[in-house]
Amino acid sequence: MKFLYSFCAVISVLVISSKAHTPGTITVDALTFDKVLRNFDVVLAKFDDKYPHGDKHDQFKKFAENVANAKNLLVVEIPITDYGDKENEQLANEYSVTKADFPAYKLFIKGKSKPIDYTGDSTEDDLKRFLSQNTDLWFGLPGTLERLDRISREFFDASSASDAKTQNSLLEEVREVVKGLTDKKEQKSGESYIKIMEAAVKQGVEFFKREGRRVQNLLKGKITTEKRVELQNRANILLSFKTVKETGAVDKEL
């Protein structure tokens, strides 16, 4: 009986241990973290329990799997324990992370002295939005089209410089791209890019911030599921209108 109990205990430990690593990530500690930061342009670090579980971790697993092939992006896990050897307690203290914060995400961009703290919901899409907002990586958020996202960044810079000639040239390029789309969902997304650009040409670069605030306020209200999807897609597209200069330019391909 004692043997059976011991055997089951060992099996339980092995099963738990096998779940400690999340595919698409690497696990680091105080000795390896600095080396990682020196060699990657963008590092998203997740500070969490050694054996995380639940909905938030399930969302993280989906996220990690879907961004695993993104060039210059590395997703790392930093397991924290408050027992035994108190694993990675030094890193938790250095970055002001407590157990109450778990899971805590911090984005490290090469050339920036401090990490960017993530404060959104721990969902796959929200993590992607966070990276899209702060880097030049492309993750295919719902409603977005990669080719138009690339043009949107050029358009934003032209808008910031009040370069009407370039704005109109890029707007015309987008119109031509949208004309060639055959998928109805892509066509609808393409029309959203066009409307946003047309509004920016008339109202100036400040339109992007105003429209972003307007959409976020609408999303907080009571709206139908269909309208929520439409607004979230518009919010995702608006994230594409940013300058590479502000994001610490990284490789543009996944």
Side-chain angles (χ1 to χ4, degrees), residues 21 123 133 140 153 159-160 170-171 182 190 199 205 218 223 242:
H21 173 73
T123 66
Q133 192 169 20
R153 293 189 176 120
S159 301
S160 299
L170 293 169
L171 176 54
T182 56
V205 71
L218 289 173
I223 51 178
K242 60 185 179 183

Side-chain angles (χ1 to χ4, degrees), residues 80-116:
I80 312 293
T81 61
D82 57 4
Y83 53 84
D85 293 334
K86 295 189 175 181
E87 192 172 351
N88 291 320
E89 182 182 50
Q90 176 186 335
L91 282 175
N93 291 335
E94 182 178 348
Y95 292 104
S96 302
V97 175
T98 67
K99 192 168 185 177
D101 301 322
F102 294 165
Y105 295 94
K106 291 181 181 288
L107 179 63
F108 296 81
I109 299 176
K110 185 175 288 187
K112 295 192 175 183
S113 58
K114 294 182 179 180
I116 302 170

Side-chain angles (χ1 to χ4, degrees), residues 60-198:
F60 174 70
K61 287 192 289 186
K62 291 180 182 179
F63 163 79
E65 181 180 351
N66 288 333
V67 303
N69 293 324
K71 293 181 180 179
N72 289 325
L73 168 67
L74 187 67
V75 180
V76 305
E77 292 184 283
I78 303 176
I80 312 293
T81 61
D82 57 4
Y83 53 84
D85 293 334
K86 295 189 175 181
E87 192 172 351
N88 291 320
E89 182 182 50
Q90 176 186 335
L91 282 175
N93 291 335
E94 182 178 348
Y95 292 104
S96 302
V97 175
T98 67
K99 192 168 185 177
D101 301 322
F102 294 165
Y105 295 94
K106 291 181 181 288
L107 179 63
F108 296 81
I109 299 176
K110 185 175 288 187
K112 295 192 175 183
S113 58
K114 294 182 179 180
I116 302 170
D117 292 334
Y118 175 68
T119 57
D121 293 330
S122 296
T123 66
E124 177 188 1
D125 280 346
D126 281 330
L127 286 167
K128 286 180 178 178
R129 288 187 193 101
F130 173 64
L131 288 177
S132 293
Q133 192 169 20
N134 292 287
T135 74
D136 193 36
L137 296 169
W138 191 81
F139 298 101
L141 292 171
T144 63
L145 301 172
E146 185 172 11
R147 183 175 177 185
L148 299 191
D149 276 1
R150 302 303 179 200
I151 298 173
S152 297
R153 293 189 176 120
E154 294 181 57
F155 183 88
F156 182 88
D157 283 338
S159 301
S160 299
S162 298
D163 184 349
K165 182 178 180 180
T166 301
Q167 278 183 303
N168 288 317
S169 174
L170 293 169
L171 176 54
E172 189 56 38
E173 183 179 349
V174 169
R175 286 178 176 142
E176 288 301 313
V177 171
V178 174
K179 282 182 184 178
L181 297 175
T182 56
D183 182 89
K184 289 186 177 180
K185 287 185 178 180
E186 290 187 349
Q187 288 175 347
K188 187 174 181 179
S189 293
E191 289 299 327
S192 291
Y193 282 89
I194 291 172
K195 289 177 182 177
I196 289 171
M197 288 180 172
E198 288 174 340

